[in-house]
Amino acid sequence: MFVSDCRREFYDVIVSQALFQCDHVPYTLVPVSGWQELETAFLEHKDQIKLLVKQDDDLDVPAYDDIFRDDEDEEEDSENESDGSEPSEKRRRFEEDVIERTMKRRQRREWEARRREILFDYEQYEYHGTSSAMVMFDLAWMMSKDLNDMLWWAIVGLTDQWVQDKITQMKYVTDIGILQRHVSRHNHRNEDEENSLSIDCMRIAFEYDLRLALYQHWSLYESLCNTSYTSASLKLWSVQGQKRLQEFLADMGLPLKQVKQKFNSMDMSLKENLREMIEESASKFGMKDLRVQTFSIHFGFKNKFSASDIVYAAVSLMENVEKEGPEAANFIKALDSLSRGNLDKLHQGLNLAKKQLRAIHQTIASCICTNLVISQGPFLYCSLMEGTPDVKLFSKPVSLCLLSKYLLKSFVCSTKNKRCKLLPLIMAAPMDVEQGTVIMVGIPPETESSDKKNFFGRAFEKAADSTNSRTLHNHFDMSIIELKTEDRSKFLDALISLLS
């Protein structure tokens, strides 16, 4: 097998591995990070490739007959019909043939126009369907080979889409409901067994948890400061925002000494009712969506992780910039972190995730306080300069996307300009100084009714073609490109003209 996207289809891999291992099927894992590596892998393994698509997904894939049609011979030979017919009969047949060919040509032109329109509608936006990890779990379930571990990996795959803001809230809640039924089924099946499960066995639980990043493995204070939702709502980059945070903590009756120490070290009396206390105070400060439906995993006496904990850890391991090395090596480390037998890798990922979140929110504070987010007419633009703290981290696509999405949320909360609140964001960061390239990502507008469709992929292609800008469209997310630094100015000018 091969992975067509190290990041997007990461959680699908481990489910596939488990299925192969169940049937003792030998396989080769080939992670690829872009279209170029995908083409090479495809040519090497094309006889072994199968396409898995969830049929009931609303992907708006055009019908075959709308895009393809058999070639028709427009020219019909009427010369062979000279079999002694009367001249008037030949003339009538000739006129009928002319009318028929004219109608066919008109229908052909109409079909081609309709085809161009359908393809344009289909290709102009980029969006995400059901997580590939869920598709693979569905396959395992239909084969009666679904295990608790596979179910957990499917949960983590869905949570990754939610953490990275790839799907709508409605899609997330719908898929959560599907997985919740599977969790209930697995739990009921385990309860029916004659022998009760040992403490080392894995248990998955559905719960309403706090929308705070890594708070059970961090301090509550750090989590509040480095979670996008709370940071943007309280405007923590400002002095006034820091005061609101203190008022928020005071309203809950939590001493600073308690919230600034590790969550596990907090007084049990405070932790018992912490969620209810936070939710009650959060609504007073305009944070009505601080509670989220999710799942957690328990095994052993003290091992408890939420699905979002695993997502943050895995992403940080895959985009680790502290140690130089091939992307495939980071991929394998992230894959190992999903196994309960590699807790050291998981904890390493959690520590990296904390550094990543701190870097993101420090950069957001810097961008907003120094007015680096500027309006370019049809979109907002922000560029990180070489020498910016942690800029190396943002040469990685997922880290840059998270920064861009969190920055746009924070900017929308901070600006008083109503028009700017409705604009998309383009963000650029240095990628390779020696080669003189930047990585650029386009983020759709931050609105409550957002359908998460991204139009920047097609816009980037047209802007590059019209200006002969040297770009590389190698990422599977077409809204992420690499661009020569000296071509950036004319590329942005073309985008402004194109989107105005």
Side-chain angles (χ1 to χ4, degrees):
M1 65 175 296
F2 73 95
V3 187
S4 62
D5 188 341
C6 283
R7 297 172 180 84
R8 253 172 37 193
E9 298 178 9
F10 173 72
Y11 305 100
D12 151 36
V13 174
I14 198 163
V15 183
S16 306
Q17 283 184 305
L19 284 174
F20 288 140
Q21 289 165 3
C22 280
D23 290 340
H24 307 287
V25 177
Y27 64 91
T28 302
L29 179 62
V30 185
V32 296
S33 59
W35 289 109
Q36 294 174 348
E37 292 180 10
L38 174 61
E39 183 179 0
T40 303
F42 178 82
L43 293 174
E44 292 178 0
H45 305 274
K46 58 184 178 182
D47 295 334
Q48 308 165 31
I49 294 171
K50 303 295 180 185
L51 179 63
L52 291 176
V53 179
K54 193 172 176 64
Q55 291 187 352
D56 57 352
D57 249 3
D58 184 18
L59 298 178
D60 295 329
V61 178
Y64 179 88
D65 291 339
D66 289 337
I67 305 301
F68 304 101
R69 61 184 289 174
D70 296 330
D71 291 332
E72 296 177 1
D73 187 6
E74 302 279 348
E75 301 295 329
E76 295 186 5
D77 188 5
S78 59
E79 299 294 330
N80 296 331
E81 296 184 1
S82 56
D83 54 356
S85 300
E86 294 294 327
S88 59
E89 180 69 16
K90 287 184 178 180
R91 188 180 303 109
R92 185 182 65 78
R93 289 182 180 178
F94 176 75
E95 291 174 350
E96 289 176 352
D97 288 343
V98 169
I99 294 173
E100 184 178 355
R101 286 198 296 270
T102 302
M103 291 296 295
K104 284 184 177 180
R105 292 192 188 102
R106 180 181 300 171
Q107 290 172 358
R108 176 91 183 181
R109 285 194 298 269
E110 291 174 352
W111 178 85
E112 288 175 347
R114 176 63 181 158
R115 179 179 184 271
R116 286 193 296 270
E117 183 181 339
I118 291 172
L119 285 176
F120 178 81
D121 291 340
Y122 178 64
E123 295 176 349
Q124 68 174 325
Y125 293 114
E126 179 182 26
Y127 51 95
H128 294 82
T130 300
S131 166
S132 54
M134 284 190 64
V135 174
M136 293 304 298
F137 174 77
D138 204 33
L139 175 63
W141 174 52
M142 288 188 289
M143 295 168 64
S144 299
K145 294 182 178 178
D146 54 316
L147 303 172
N148 236 16
D149 285 296
M150 295 180 187
L151 177 55
W152 175 245
W153 297 324
I155 289 168
V156 174
L158 170 61
T159 307
D160 175 75
Q161 290 187 313
W162 178 74
V163 167
Q164 298 193 44
D165 205 25
K166 292 179 178 178
I167 54 176
T168 63
Q169 183 67 19
M170 181 60 71
K171 172 67 173 170
Y172 175 72
V173 171
T174 301
D175 286 352
I176 280 282
I178 294 171
L179 291 173
Q180 187 180 359
R181 290 193 288 273
H182 283 296
V183 168
S184 299
R185 178 173 57 85
H186 274 248
N187 290 343
H188 182 69
R189 184 171 65 185
N190 292 334
E191 289 171 2
D192 287 346
E193 294 179 358
E194 292 183 5
N195 299 318
S196 60
L197 295 176
S198 73
I199 191 67
D200 292 325
C201 287
M202 184 177 75
R203 299 177 303 284
I204 302 174
F206 170 80
E207 60 187 14
Y208 284 91
D209 201 0
L210 295 173
R211 193 175 175 179
L212 297 177
L214 307 175
Y215 76 94
Q216 296 185 64
H217 310 280
W218 216 347
S219 71
L220 187 60
Y221 184 84
E222 288 276 15
S223 182
L224 283 166
C225 290
N226 294 290
T227 296
S228 170
Y229 181 69
T230 50
S231 176
S233 299
L234 297 173
K235 303 178 185 177
L236 295 182
W237 54 84
S238 65
V239 175
Q240 189 63 32
Q242 290 295 323
K243 288 181 180 178
R244 280 175 59 80
L245 176 59
Q246 302 298 328
E247 293 170 3
F248 177 55
L249 294 172
D251 189 78
M252 289 187 291
L254 294 176
L256 273 179
K257 183 180 179 181
Q258 288 289 323
V259 297
K260 287 191 174 183
Q261 62 183 338
K262 285 188 176 180
F263 181 80
N264 287 336
S265 302
M266 288 179 65
D267 288 348
M268 286 299 298
S269 59
L270 293 175
K271 287 199 291 184
E272 285 177 356
N273 300 312
L274 184 64
R275 293 181 188 178
E276 292 75 13
M277 292 165 57
I278 290 180
E279 287 176 32
E280 184 179 345
S281 295
S283 61
K284 300 177 185 177
F285 286 78
M287 296 182 287
K288 297 180 180 179
D289 299 321
L290 198 57
R291 191 175 74 157
V292 63
Q293 299 178 59
T294 186
F295 296 89
S296 61
I297 181 176
H298 307 249
F299 56 92
F301 286 99
K302 61 179 182 179
N303 295 311
K304 179 184 177 182
F305 301 95
S306 72
S308 61
D309 294 338
I310 309 299
V311 170
Y312 284 118
V315 167
S316 297
L317 285 169
M318 270 199 290
E319 297 204 332
N320 185 9
V321 295
E322 293 183 357
K323 292 183 180 179
E324 294 291 339
E327 282 194 346
N330 286 341
F331 176 87
I332 298 300
K333 288 180 183 177
L335 200 60
D336 288 343
S337 73
L338 297 181
S339 170
R340 284 177 284 148
N342 286 309
L343 281 178
D344 55 335
K345 292 272 176 59
L346 178 56
H347 286 294
Q348 180 189 353
L350 290 172
N351 290 330
L352 287 172
K354 294 173 190 176
K355 294 179 181 179
Q356 181 193 49
L357 289 172
R358 282 197 195 100
I360 286 174
H361 289 283
Q362 287 169 3
T363 305
I364 288 174
S366 174
C367 290
I368 292 180
C369 293
T370 56
N371 298 317
L372 282 182
V373 182
I374 56 176
S375 173
Q376 293 280 23
F379 58 84
L380 302 169
Y381 178 69
C382 180
S383 177
L384 299 181
M385 306 301 294
E386 183 64 33
T388 303
D390 302 302
V391 73
K392 189 176 180 181
L393 173 65
F394 302 121
S395 65
K396 301 293 185 179
V398 174
S399 297
L400 182 62
C401 284
L402 285 176
L403 171 64
S404 304
K405 290 173 181 177
Y406 293 174
L407 176 59
L408 184 56
K409 290 177 189 291
S410 299
F411 181 80
V412 167
C413 290
S414 68
T415 186
K416 295 180 180 179
N417 188 319
K418 292 183 180 180
R419 180 177 175 276
C420 286
K421 290 178 182 287
L422 303 175
L423 294 179
L425 171 70
I426 293 177
M427 190 156 195
M431 185 163 187
D432 191 319
V433 179
E434 293 181 359
Q435 295 185 7
T437 58
V438 296
I439 181 170
M440 188 174 286
V441 60
I443 304 297
E446 180 63 29
T447 59
E448 292 182 2
S449 60
S450 174
D451 55 9
K452 307 301 178 186
K453 291 186 177 181
N454 195 325
F455 57 86
F456 274 113
R458 181 55 64 121
F460 284 166
E461 287 181 358
K462 290 186 176 181
D465 290 342
S466 65
T467 58
N468 293 321
S469 297
R470 290 163 292 177
T471 58
L472 180 61
H473 303 260
N474 190 43
H475 295 274
F476 292 103
D477 282 334
M478 300 305 292
S479 56
I480 304 172
I481 64 165
E482 297 168 32
L483 172 71
K484 280 289 186 180
T485 307
E486 54 262 35
D487 292 342
R488 176 162 44 180
S489 180
K490 64 179 182 181
F491 179 81
L492 288 174
D493 287 343
L495 269 180
I496 294 171
S497 175
L498 183 66
L499 298 176
S500 293

